[in-house]
């Protein structure tokens, strides 16, 4: 499989490889490490590029930057910044003499599937990503969506517009159950916020190892075989699943049917993980009360998509993590 590691740990390892040990334990710098940033010239990411001792960065927009440039071909590591596609990255990678590391500036690496299949499967070259950089923002989006539906914001907005003084029972999230589909960094951040609101947290994950949750954020953890229990018990379901062959259409008709009629589904993971036809049917038949979606199978979401124009669906353009310090935080993780 692909060797997916934490970026910071590998950067330190790469730096140690640049040093030569002297007598007495001292070290001396052996050479600069050349790192190719694969992105468009003038990309915003370059404004936040850090000054790292022993590292020299070089912008490579396409393979032409490497032609007749033997120095550039010596790059030992690559930082991939979308929207450069996987085929361009593959062409650049194949022109490098001895690349030892590739880092994705995005958390999701599913767009790199063609590249990883060709060059990283069963390879010792590690792939790192921006895991943890934007978890706080995605967790806030999930909590905002929960409160939006719980407090009936559309009802409040309509009353405000209609000058209608309606006294109605105001719901609270305290005591409600939050079901987390996937329990990585993003949903652990979501769990912390939910706990602050007094919610019960249950999680669905492949591994049931309790050591993966030292804070005890999840009141209960279920394995994939029991996933319908999570959907059935939850008032709100937040999915942060990655896009993999295993998770394609992971959330479909059976899962949505298991949810409460008052339940709300929120997706901050990958669009490929949800059967959108089944979701629309669940909304049409009022099997669930609503949905908040930041990711979709096809992006941008086509105007013809039946997900548009629904009073009980929030649609954002895969920008729940696109915050003011987006690039700064991305570099900090690197």
């Amino acid at each position: 499989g692909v060797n997916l590691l934490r970026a910071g740990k590998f950067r330190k390892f790469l730096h140690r490889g640049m040093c030569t040990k002297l007598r007495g334990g001292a070290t001396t710098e052996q050479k600069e490490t050349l790192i190719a940033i694969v992105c468009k010239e003038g990309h915003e990411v370059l404004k936040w590029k850090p000054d790292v001792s022993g590292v020299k960065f070089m912008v490579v927009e396409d393979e032409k930057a490497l032609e007749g440039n033997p120095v550039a071909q010596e790059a030992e590591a690559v930082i991939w910044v979308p929207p450069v596609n996987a085929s361009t990255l593959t062409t650049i990678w194949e022109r490098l003499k001895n690349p030892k590391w590739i880092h994705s500036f995005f958390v999701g690496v599913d767009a790199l599937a063609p590249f990883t299949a060709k060059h990283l499967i069963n390879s010792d070259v590690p792939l790192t990503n921006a895991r943890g950089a934007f978890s706080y923002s995605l967790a806030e989006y999930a909590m905002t969506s929960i409160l939006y539906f719980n407090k009936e914001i559309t009802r409040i907005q309509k009353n405000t517009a209609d000058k209608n003084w309606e006294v109605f029972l105001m719901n609270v999230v305290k005591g409600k159950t939050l079901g987390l589909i996937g329990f990585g960094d993003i949903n652990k951040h979501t769990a912390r916020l939910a706990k602050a609101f007094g919610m019960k947290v249950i999680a669905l994950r492949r591994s049931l190892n309790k050591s993966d949750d030292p804070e005890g954020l999840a009141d209960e953890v279920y394995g994939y075989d029991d996933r319908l229990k999570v959907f059935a018990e939850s008032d709100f379901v937040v999915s942060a699943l990655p896009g993999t062959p295993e998770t394609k259409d992971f959330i479909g008709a059976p899962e949505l049917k298991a949810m409460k009629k008052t339940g709300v589904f929120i997706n901050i993971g990958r669009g490929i993980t949800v059967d959108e036809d089944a979701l629309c049917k669940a909304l049409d038949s009022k099997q669930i009360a609503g949905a908040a979606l930041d990711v979709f199978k096809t992006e941008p979401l086509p105007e013809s998509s039946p997900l548009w124009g629904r009073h009980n669906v929030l649609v954002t353009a895969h920008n729940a993590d696109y915050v003011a310090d987006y690039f700064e935080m991305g570099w900090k993780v690197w």
Side-chain angles (χ1 to χ4, degrees):
V2 177
N3 190 11
L4 186 60
L5 301 176
R6 285 274 190 172
K9 290 182 179 179
F10 189 76
R11 183 160 61 85
K12 291 176 183 177
F13 169 78
L14 191 67
H15 180 74
R16 285 199 299 269
M18 294 153 35
C19 300
T20 301
K21 219 167 202 183
L22 302 176
R23 290 180 182 176
T27 61
T28 182
E29 292 295 326
Q30 190 175 39
K31 64 172 183 174
E32 278 190 323
T33 295
L34 182 62
I35 297 180
I37 304 175
V38 179
C39 69
K40 298 289 185 182
E41 288 286 354
H43 195 290
E44 184 74 13
V45 71
L46 300 175
K47 295 179 182 179
W48 296 94
K49 180 167 55 67
D51 183 15
V52 182
S53 175
V55 171
K56 181 179 179 181
F57 294 107
M58 171 188 64
V59 177
V60 179
E61 187 167 348
D62 52 39
E63 66 275 12
K64 293 179 182 178
L66 301 177
E67 293 176 359
N69 189 344
V71 174
Q73 294 170 17
E74 296 290 340
E76 295 183 62
V78 170
I79 298 173
W80 172 67
V81 183
V84 175
N85 59 43
S87 60
T88 300
L89 175 63
T90 298
T91 305
I92 291 171
W93 186 266
E94 290 173 349
R95 281 167 171 71
L96 299 179
K97 293 183 178 178
N98 187 27
K100 300 174 182 176
W101 172 31
I102 180 163
H103 176 73
S104 166
F105 212 83
F106 275 21
V107 176
V109 294
D110 43 305
L112 288 179
F115 169 80
T116 56
K118 186 174 183 180
H119 291 290
L120 300 186
I121 295 295
N122 300 321
S123 165
D124 291 332
V125 174
L127 168 65
T128 60
N129 64 353
R131 181 185 176 191
F134 319 114
S135 298
Y136 69 94
S137 174
L138 291 164
E140 284 185 9
Y141 176 91
M143 205 66 219
T144 298
S145 301
I146 290 169
L147 292 170
Y148 176 90
F149 285 100
N150 180 260
K151 298 299 181 186
E152 299 186 75
I153 299 301
T154 53
R155 184 177 185 174
I156 294 171
Q157 288 175 319
K158 187 177 187 307
N159 284 339
T160 302
D162 295 345
K163 302 178 183 178
N164 180 30
W165 186 265
E166 181 193 15
V167 179
F168 64 92
L169 288 175
M170 186 65 70
N171 294 318
V172 296
V173 296
K174 183 179 180 180
K176 295 287 195 302
T177 298
L178 172 63
L180 300 175
I181 311 304
F183 200 48
D185 199 68
I186 293 170
N187 266 348
K188 283 179 180 174
H189 271 71
T190 305
R192 292 186 189 101
L193 294 184
K195 284 288 189 179
F197 278 87
M199 300 183 75
K200 177 183 178 181
V201 175
I202 60 177
L204 179 74
R205 63 179 308 172
R206 281 183 301 183
S207 169
L208 298 180
N209 189 344
K210 291 184 178 180
S211 65
D212 292 337
D213 183 22
E215 298 176 59
L217 294 170
D219 296 294
E220 295 177 43
V221 179
Y222 293 91
Y224 278 10
D225 290 342
D226 295 320
R227 64 190 187 193
L228 292 184
K229 290 183 181 179
V230 176
F231 285 88
E233 294 177 16
S234 301
D235 295 291
F236 301 91
V237 174
V238 176
S239 175
L241 290 175
T244 69
E246 183 185 10
T247 61
K248 185 177 186 296
D249 289 334
F250 188 91
I251 298 154
E255 290 73 26
L256 296 167
K257 187 176 181 180
M259 288 180 66
K260 300 176 181 179
K261 290 188 180 296
T262 54
V264 173
F265 173 71
I266 301 162
N267 192 8
I268 51 176
R270 280 294 181 265
I272 192 176
T273 63
V274 177
D275 181 340
E276 292 178 356
D277 290 336
L279 177 59
C280 287
K281 289 177 182 177
L283 291 163
D284 290 338
S285 62
K286 298 184 180 180
Q287 284 182 351
I288 62 173
L293 310 169
D294 185 55
V295 290
F296 306 88
K297 279 189 173 176
T298 301
E299 297 181 5
L301 185 65
E303 289 185 15
S304 59
S305 171
L307 290 168
W308 285 115
R310 293 174 179 267
H311 76 280
N312 58 347
V313 175
L314 296 179
V315 171
T316 46
H318 202 154
N319 65 320
D321 59 353
Y322 188 47
V323 291
D325 59 354
Y326 180 88
F327 296 106
E328 181 182 6
M329 293 303 297
W331 277 114
K332 282 183 178 180
V333 169
W334 176 84

